[in-house]
Amino acid sequence: EDLDMALLRRRVDAVSRGEAGARLFDLDPMVPGQRLVLPAPAAFVDVCRAATNAEGVLCMFGRQGLRINSHGVEVEVESIGDADARGGAEVALRAGRLCRAFESGAEEGSRWLGRQARVRWVAIDGAEAVEGATESLGPVTEAATAELLASLGPLVEEWISLLRSTSRERSPGQLDAVLDDLGPLPGESRPNARALWVAGLINPLPALGVALEVRPAALMAATADERIRVAEFGLRDSIQRLRSPGPPF
């Protein structure tokens, strides 16, 4: 009984600190709002079913070489398709809360099995309410960044127009689906959310192949100013690639 009470006390303390145990995967960097649909083997399908039934926490992080990125997202299992002969199925995941991993174990034999981790929930902008969040991405501090922040709106409109006019979608309706997943572009009062939205637009799932990969840099940026510069650079670079004839890469 004493051990049970001690365990309960540790769990309550962890919740108060905004911490959670999670199963961490490094299949693809995602930003909040993105939706990943993938054919998954039986091992991953079993993990998703178990997490759904037990209300477990699944998180998706990117990686650079052998190093797991510091920031990722919680993912919700939206759907699991019919199983094939080997137990695999199509799985749809939706990215939600931003999180930071402060502990992670070793990979358990396969990327599809993930690894145990502990994460802290992060509010994207200070005024934004995020369940369990005890950390927050900081505000804009540099005057020059405000101009970049304002420029993102017209640049997004130009990028969307170019993508449509150059017929770069991988499948009919892909851009509309991406925009539907991400929702409207956040306003300038939400600088971090606005920058992450841009990263998700130009690096969608599935990939369009018309932009540099900026999601990891946007997620892990030390400041809002850096995050906005990353988004603005990626967006302008992609516009130049869309304007140029021939393959973008």
Side-chain angles (χ1 to χ4, degrees), residues 131-142:
E131 182 182 357
T134 55
E135 299 182 6
S136 178
L137 302 182
V140 170
T141 59
E142 300 173 16

Side-chain angles (χ1 to χ4, degrees), residues 11-89:
R11 288 178 175 172
V12 170
D13 289 344
V15 170
S16 68
R17 294 192 300 271
E19 298 176 5
R23 181 150 291 273
L24 186 154
F25 295 90
D26 57 16
L27 303 178
D28 209 320
M30 299 176 72
V31 297
Q34 286 195 304
R35 185 170 182 266
L36 175 63
V37 180
L38 70 165
F44 187 71
V45 172
D46 290 343
V47 170
C48 289
R49 284 203 174 99
T52 302
N53 294 335
E55 298 184 354
V57 175
L58 303 181
C59 292
M60 189 69 70
F61 281 62
R63 67 186 299 167
Q64 296 173 320
L66 298 177
R67 183 186 293 274
I68 301 295
N69 292 345
S70 62
H71 288 71
V73 292
E74 180 184 22
V75 289
E76 174 187 351
V77 180
E78 269 198 347
S79 63
I80 300 175
D82 295 333
D84 60 26
R86 295 185 176 182

Side-chain angles (χ1 to χ4, degrees), residues 100-119:
R100 178 176 67 84
F102 65 95
E103 290 179 12
S104 63
E107 191 171 86
E108 299 176 12
S110 165
R111 294 178 72 187
W112 293 106
L113 293 174
R115 64 188 73 205
Q116 288 294 332
R118 294 198 64 77
V119 301

Side-chain angles (χ1 to χ4, degrees), residues 83-189:
D84 60 26
R86 295 185 176 182
E90 183 178 87
V91 174
L93 304 172
R94 172 81 64 177
R97 289 183 289 182
L98 183 67
C99 57
R100 178 176 67 84
F102 65 95
E103 290 179 12
S104 63
E107 191 171 86
E108 299 176 12
S110 165
R111 294 178 72 187
W112 293 106
L113 293 174
R115 64 188 73 205
Q116 288 294 332
R118 294 198 64 77
V119 301
R120 289 193 175 106
W121 307 116
V122 181
I124 293 177
D125 287 296
E128 178 182 301
V130 174
E131 182 182 357
T134 55
E135 299 182 6
S136 178
L137 302 182
V140 170
T141 59
E142 300 173 16
T145 308
E147 296 181 13
L148 294 183
L149 188 63
S151 74
L152 292 180
L155 288 174
V156 163
E157 293 180 3
E158 182 178 0
W159 186 89
I160 289 173
S161 176
L162 279 169
L163 190 78
R164 294 192 192 279
S165 65
T166 55
S167 303
R168 299 296 181 95
E169 293 175 273
R170 294 286 179 89
S171 59
Q174 181 182 4
L175 179 57
D176 288 336
V178 169
L179 292 170
D180 186 57
D181 288 342
L182 293 174
L185 174 66
E188 294 175 39
S189 63

